[in-house]
Amino acid sequence: MRYAMIMAGGTGTRLWPMSRTQRPKQLLPFIARPTGEGGESQSASLLEIAAARLDGLVPQERRFICTGEGYRAAVRASLPEFGDDQILGEPVGRDTVNAVGFAAAVFEKLDKDAVFIVLTADHLIEPEEVFRERADLAFRLVEQDKTRLMTFSIKPTYAATGYGYVERGGAIHGTPGSDGLAFKVERFVEKPDLSRAQAYFESGHFAWNSGMFVFHAGTFMSCLERFKPASFDGLKKIQSAWGTAQQQEVLHAVYPTLPKISVDYAVMEPASLLASSKPGASPVQVCTVLTDVQWLDVGSWPSYAETLKADAAGNRVGGEVRTLLCESKNNLVVGDEGCGGHTVALLGVEGIVVVKTRDATLIMPREKAEQLKKLHEMLGAELK
């Protein structure tokens, strides 16, 4: 059967000061979504949007969220349709391979034939109906052959250096709807420099790595056993205890000991190298579905700005804040809840980010956005 897991464990330090330890970015209701009535819109969180993306793909009772245990109550309050047993609470974050492995271990125990999709609570995808079609195709490809490790690669619109790339290999035929969309993967390339990114973009053989996947749960566990045995051993212990009186005790004892590494480095890259070096002999096939959608990873203030409409001077305003903009262009001004009575005035500035909350205000040049983590490290615990 089909299952789903949404990764929602990040703290969102590059979206400080709105994103905080107790209210991380995935729970911030700061994305305007049209209601379909008279052009009106309402705000939603990235996690709410990701959960709705599963409509028509996976039944609600087989949808899960993997997040920090400390966020359990906030997630339940935001999405009450998720039962307590549908929240996979990590005692500590151990990067994406263990989040995916945690879900795979649980799903395999629930259902030996479980096939699951991995989404993240970072993305905005339009049009969503096209994504659902591609996701259904990825599900069907894995249901047809459980050795396939499916990725979703996004058709690039420019030579981005902030994303990883997927190089497409031979086409996959024989599944309805797969022609021209499903391919084997030659290799993954992490965040190339500009000259290589430009070459990849112009070649037509590369696409952006979206960080979304479809796996057979048992196959993913086998990949962990082969490529990351320390994670496999720990997750098997958690799997054995799952559903018993020792579930939480074992989870809290074992999970913090798992080696911290991403799913791309731990599984996808070595699996693709093995498949390319031993064609026909590899126990897995790394494949991709080309997904031609508008895709935005909302992980920083400049990327959040892309969700807002710009005025004639390129200024964008979000949230609850009044603005006065004079001889200023290409700026972003954002106000948190409760800041609607506050006015932010800009005079003669360009490319500035201003974020106002009740207890902190951020002002920085747009080009410094990726360095916000450095500032975050300097904050006291009361502001993190």
Side-chain angles (χ1 to χ4, degrees):
M1 290 189 290
R2 294 183 178 185
Y3 293 77
M5 186 273 276
I6 305 171
M7 289 190 290
T11 56
T13 56
R14 290 180 297 158
L15 285 169
W16 185 87
M18 282 182 66
S19 181
R20 303 291 182 94
T21 301
Q22 297 305 315
R23 193 179 68 154
K25 68 175 181 179
Q26 59 267 27
L27 293 174
L28 295 174
F30 70 157
I31 305 295
R33 303 287 284 177
T35 62
E37 299 178 4
E40 296 294 321
S41 64
Q42 61 183 20
S43 295
S45 70
L46 288 165
L47 183 55
E48 289 172 324
I49 293 168
R53 195 170 293 134
L54 291 166
D55 291 348
L57 281 172
V58 178
Q60 176 60 47
E61 66 271 16
R62 295 202 293 273
R63 302 179 193 180
F64 289 70
I65 295 171
C66 185
T67 189
E69 179 60 37
Y71 300 146
R72 178 182 293 274
V75 169
R76 290 295 313 280
S78 178
L79 290 97
E81 66 269 25
F82 283 80
D84 202 51
D85 59 348
Q86 292 172 271
I87 309 295
L88 303 178
E90 296 178 292
V92 293
R94 301 307 294 168
D95 218 319
T96 55
V97 77
N98 295 302
V100 177
F102 186 7
V106 171
F107 295 157
E108 185 185 39
K109 183 152 190 183
L110 295 174
D111 179 357
K112 292 296 183 183
D113 293 319
V115 175
F116 69 106
I117 189 169
V118 177
L119 303 182
T120 79
D122 299 307
H123 300 161
L124 295 178
I125 301 172
E126 294 290 346
E128 292 199 336
E129 59 268 23
V130 173
F131 173 76
R132 290 188 183 97
E133 291 172 0
R134 302 295 188 270
D136 178 70
L137 173 59
F139 265 120
R140 287 186 287 113
L141 286 163
V142 177
E143 288 162 352
Q144 183 184 67
D145 185 345
K146 68 180 183 180
T147 69
R148 288 172 174 156
L149 308 177
M150 297 301 307
T151 71
F152 294 89
S153 49
I154 307 298
K155 187 176 181 179
T157 55
Y158 67 99
T161 58
Y163 299 141
Y165 283 73
V166 177
E167 183 179 10
R168 296 191 301 278
I172 298 174
H173 302 290
T175 300
S178 65
D179 289 354
L181 294 175
F183 301 87
K184 294 181 180 178
V185 169
E186 286 293 324
R187 59 173 170 152
F188 290 87
V189 181
E190 270 300 306
K191 297 181 180 178
D193 57 31
L194 182 58
S195 62
R196 284 194 300 155
Q198 188 65 41
Y200 295 160
F201 177 63
E202 293 174 358
S203 75
H205 297 298
F206 287 81
W208 292 334
N209 181 13
S210 72
M212 299 181 288
F213 311 93
V214 174
F215 302 120
H216 183 280
T219 299
F220 190 83
M221 293 298 290
S222 295
C223 285
L224 283 180
E225 184 176 20
R226 185 183 190 103
F227 301 120
K228 209 66 186 172
S231 285
F232 173 79
D233 291 342
L235 289 167
K236 288 298 286 186
K237 292 176 183 177
I238 293 170
Q239 184 186 66
S240 295
W242 200 257
T244 73
Q246 288 74 45
Q247 174 179 309
Q248 291 304 307
E249 178 184 352
V250 173
L251 177 65
H252 283 260
V254 173
Y255 204 84
T257 70
L258 303 179
K260 194 173 184 179
I261 187 171
S262 75
V263 67
D264 291 306
Y265 283 127
V267 172
M268 304 308 292
E269 288 189 5
S272 64
L273 289 171
L274 180 64
S276 61
S277 65
K278 296 182 179 180
S282 172
V284 292
Q285 310 169 61
V286 182
C287 307
T288 193
V289 170
L290 185 58
T291 309
D292 46 348
V293 295
Q294 297 176 41
W295 173 78
L296 181 63
D297 185 344
V298 186
S300 65
W301 286 118
S303 61
Y304 170 72
E306 294 183 44
T307 71
L308 305 172
K309 185 177 180 180
D311 66 14
N315 298 303
R316 302 170 192 259
V317 178
E320 297 183 16
V321 66
R322 292 199 300 256
T323 58
L324 182 60
L325 306 171
C326 180
E327 298 179 6
S328 299
K329 60 182 181 180
N330 301 326
N331 300 293
L332 170 66
V333 181
V334 186
D336 201 357
E337 295 173 321
C339 294
H342 190 88
T343 298
V344 173
L346 300 183
L347 171 62
V349 296
E350 179 179 355
I352 297 296
V353 174
V354 180
V355 184
K356 174 75 174 80
T357 70
R358 296 177 184 179
D359 62 349
T361 301
L362 169 70
I363 304 172
M364 69 177 177
R366 181 188 180 98
E367 64 267 20
K368 294 288 186 181
E370 293 300 317
Q371 300 178 38
L372 187 51
K373 287 185 177 182
K374 294 182 180 179
L375 176 66
H376 192 268
E377 292 172 356
M378 299 170 62
L379 298 172
E382 71 282 0
L383 285 176
K384 283 190 174 181

